[in-house]
Amino acid sequence: MRAKLFSKLSLTYLLLLIFLCLVAEGFAEHALQRAAADPASTDALISGLRLRFVLSAAAVIAIGAGVYVLFSLQCNRRIQRLTEFSTRLGVSESRPFSLDGPRDELSQLAEAMNASASRLDRTIRHLGSERDRSSAILRSMVEGVGVIDAQERLVFWNAAFSEILNIEGSAAEGRPVIEVIRNTKVLKLIRRALKGEDALQDDITTGIVQLRMFAVTAAPVRAMDAGQAVGAAPTPSGAVVVLHDVTELRRLERVRQDFVANVSHEFKTPLTAIQGFAETLLAGALEDDKNNRRFIEIIRDHATQLARVTNDLLKLARIEAGKLEVDLGPVSVSDLIEACAETTQLRAGRKGIEFEADIDSDLPPIRGDIRLLREVLQNLLDNAVQYTPSGGKVHVEAAVGSKDVTLSVVDTGIGIPLADQERIFERFYRVDAARSREEGGTGLGLSIARHIVETLGGKLSVDSEVGRGSRFSFSVPKSS
């Protein structure tokens, strides 16, 4: 740019010098003609010629200086506009810039800056869109996500993170994590991650009444510093913490462990008895007419119990796998209760328990499988008779809702503690295990009943008080 400006100024000066030479030549020729005509006036002519030459040179210098000043002012003005435009680029200015004047190096620089501004604008818009998308994804995640900077300040968190760690509002932004997060395990993981440790995991438990378990994962955010040597490992510029709710997973793991232990126990007791009495018979008791039959009957009873447990396990497995055969159709509520009442009446009579069914004859039909519904109702009635002492009462009642019919089995038995009321629907769970086994129960009946009712679109629930009795209710949709 300077070279081109110098060329223009040099050309201007050259033209002015040529003009000055031409003027001087004209003056000299005129002076020679005057001197030849009048020799006495030679000195005066020379003085006049010298004065005109000086004046012409001064005029040329003045014009050259003016041209230089004009060129400088124009150049400075254009450079100043370029400087202002480059300053605006630093604050995300993306409007195109137009530089007046001739097409020279400054105009080419302006075009290059316009192209850079356009690319910068596209990059900023893309990064902004990516930031908004990432923020929306993180904020909508059910996992808690928090970001901590290198100074251990909380700079980002989503709603789940705030709920899990009980962080109050936006006032926590930029505050030290030790003031915001009260869980010591999470704080330790954050500090270890800020030191550069990878693959950090731990479990925490929150809540007092309703406990929740979370798997905590912390990882450092690495960034290359400007003054860091090439090839050196980036230093952590922050840390990311993710909290994943594993309450249900841990519960299922515990249920699985309990299930394996319970199955082993349910099989071990009868198998031990069968093996023991079989060895006794083989050792000589087979010829003992007084005990051999009793031993064989004991073996048969335990084998029958094993068969019950096995059948119930297979049935429960089919239900949970969605392979239960269901024949849906309209079912009469009164017919359903009558089908189970006869068997229940016999058992209740043997124990001296009063049994009654308070059912209206005009109940609407329900939609279900008569075979499965009889199994559910019979199981509830058998449990009611089993856990109601002599002289108690057991009765069945029905209530019609807007969309379903609710059947309830009510007894005046021993009742169920509040802590056990939800767990009684788990496999092999018994409030009174010894009494259940004496009656031949498998501990799977209520679990099977709940799965059947839910398969039919209903709900099974319990309301009980220790010493006053229990009410088991299940709803079934009306037949359309």
Side-chain angles (χ1 to χ4, degrees):
M1 182 181 66
R2 291 181 178 180
K4 183 171 289 188
L5 179 61
F6 181 76
S7 299
K8 291 180 179 180
L9 292 176
S10 299
L11 179 61
T12 302
Y13 272 112
L14 180 61
L15 292 175
L16 290 175
L17 289 174
I18 292 173
F19 173 74
L20 181 61
C21 291
L22 291 175
V23 171
E25 183 180 359
F27 284 158
E29 183 178 356
H30 177 69
L32 290 173
Q33 292 176 356
R34 291 281 302 272
D38 187 6
S41 61
T42 301
D43 293 336
L45 289 174
I46 293 174
S47 299
L49 181 62
R50 184 181 294 110
L51 178 61
R52 291 181 180 179
F53 185 81
V54 170
L55 292 175
S56 299
V60 169
I61 292 173
I63 293 172
V67 171
Y68 177 79
V69 170
L70 290 176
F71 272 111
S72 298
L73 290 176
Q74 183 183 17
C75 181
N76 288 337
R77 185 171 60 253
R78 297 171 73 192
I79 292 175
Q80 184 178 3
R81 291 189 61 192
L82 285 173
T83 303
E84 293 175 353
F85 178 65
S86 64
T87 304
R88 292 199 303 271
L89 285 179
V91 291
S92 302
E93 173 67 42
S94 59
R95 290 177 297 174
F97 171 73
S98 176
L99 186 65
D100 300 330
R103 182 167 182 77
D104 53 9
E105 288 86 348
L106 289 178
S107 63
Q108 294 176 4
L109 177 60
E111 293 176 356
M113 293 181 69
N114 278 329
S116 299
S118 178
R119 289 193 298 269
L120 180 62
D121 180 62
R122 288 195 300 269
T123 302
I124 291 175
R125 291 179 183 274
H126 177 72
L127 292 176
S129 176
E130 290 292 329
R131 179 198 59 198
D132 294 341
R133 186 182 299 112
S134 299
S135 178
I137 293 173
L138 291 174
R139 294 188 186 280
S140 63
M141 288 175 61
V142 296
E143 291 82 5
V145 180
V147 180
I148 296 89
D149 64 13
Q151 287 72 41
E152 297 187 11
R153 295 191 300 259
L154 186 63
V155 295
F156 174 85
W157 68 96
N158 61 0
F161 191 86
S162 176
E163 177 187 358
I164 295 168
L165 296 179
N166 195 24
I167 297 175
E168 299 179 359
S170 59
E173 184 174 359
R175 292 176 57 189
V177 291
I178 194 172
E179 298 179 3
V180 179
I181 300 175
R182 300 290 188 267
N183 193 288
T184 56
K185 287 187 177 181
V186 176
L187 291 174
K188 288 180 180 178
L189 288 179
I190 291 173
R191 287 165 179 164
R192 290 175 60 189
L194 291 175
K195 292 179 180 178
E197 297 185 41
D198 294 312
L200 300 174
Q201 293 183 346
D202 204 347
D203 288 345
I204 63 172
T205 302
T206 63
I208 299 175
V209 178
Q210 185 177 3
L211 297 180
R212 298 173 65 190
M213 299 187 67
F214 295 90
V216 185
T217 303
V221 178
R222 303 183 187 277
M224 183 71 73
D225 293 336
Q228 193 168 356
V230 177
T235 58
S237 61
V240 177
V241 180
V242 180
L243 306 175
H244 182 67
D245 192 342
V246 293
T247 306
E248 184 64 15
L249 180 61
R250 297 292 184 264
R251 188 190 70 82
L252 292 175
E253 290 177 353
R254 186 174 62 255
V255 169
R256 178 182 59 82
Q257 294 170 356
D258 293 344
F259 174 73
V260 173
N262 288 329
V263 168
S264 300
H265 181 73
E266 293 295 330
F267 276 55
K268 181 180 179 180
T269 301
L271 285 174
T272 301
I274 291 172
Q275 181 180 2
F277 284 106
E279 290 175 351
T280 301
L281 289 172
L282 291 175
L286 192 61
E287 286 77 20
D288 185 356
D289 296 335
K290 294 181 180 180
N291 295 311
N292 56 7
R293 182 176 180 84
R294 184 170 63 88
F295 291 168
I296 293 174
E297 288 176 351
I298 292 174
I299 292 175
R300 180 200 61 191
D301 292 341
H302 283 289
T304 303
Q305 177 67 8
L306 278 176
R308 288 198 196 100
V309 174
T310 304
N311 291 334
D312 284 349
L313 283 173
L314 291 174
K315 184 184 297 182
L316 191 58
R318 287 198 303 271
I319 294 173
E320 292 180 343
K323 297 181 180 180
L324 180 67
E325 296 180 0
V326 180
D327 184 14
L328 293 176
V331 177
S332 170
V333 177
S334 57
D335 291 346
L336 171 64
I337 295 176
E338 289 176 3
C340 300
E342 184 176 355
T343 303
T344 305
Q345 186 69 55
L346 291 174
R347 293 191 60 197
R350 294 194 194 103
K351 291 189 63 175
I353 297 173
E354 181 183 346
F355 173 74
E356 63 179 9
D358 184 15
I359 302 299
D360 294 334
S361 58
D362 58 348
L363 287 173
I366 56 178
R367 182 175 181 270
D369 186 321
I370 182 63
R371 174 180 57 85
L372 297 177
L373 288 172
R374 285 181 59 182
E375 182 176 348
V376 172
L377 183 58
Q378 191 65 62
N379 180 272
L380 298 180
L381 289 170
D382 290 345
N383 287 342
V385 173
Q386 178 179 336
Y387 293 102
T388 299
S390 178
K393 294 181 180 180
V394 174
H395 72 275
V396 183
E397 58 186 40
V400 181
S402 59
K403 296 182 180 180
D404 53 24
V405 176
T406 301
L407 296 175
S408 299
V409 176
V410 185
D411 64 62
T412 59
I414 60 177
I416 303 170
L418 182 62
D420 295 319
Q421 289 183 20
E422 184 60 29
R423 296 201 63 191
I424 59 174
F425 297 104
E426 296 178 6
R427 291 171 287 190
F428 295 115
Y429 189 83
R430 300 180 177 93
V431 178
D432 188 349
R435 185 171 183 177
S436 176
R437 291 193 182 94
E438 288 177 2
E439 297 290 337
T442 64
L444 297 170
L446 286 177
S447 180
I448 293 174
R450 168 173 274 190
H451 279 82
I452 290 176
V453 172
E454 291 177 350
T455 300
L456 297 177
K459 183 179 180 181
L460 175 60
S461 61
V462 61
D463 182 18
S464 181
E465 184 178 349
V466 175
R468 297 180 62 91
S470 304
R471 173 188 289 269
F472 283 84
S473 303
F474 67 96
S475 60
V476 183
K478 293 179 181 178
S479 179
S480 56

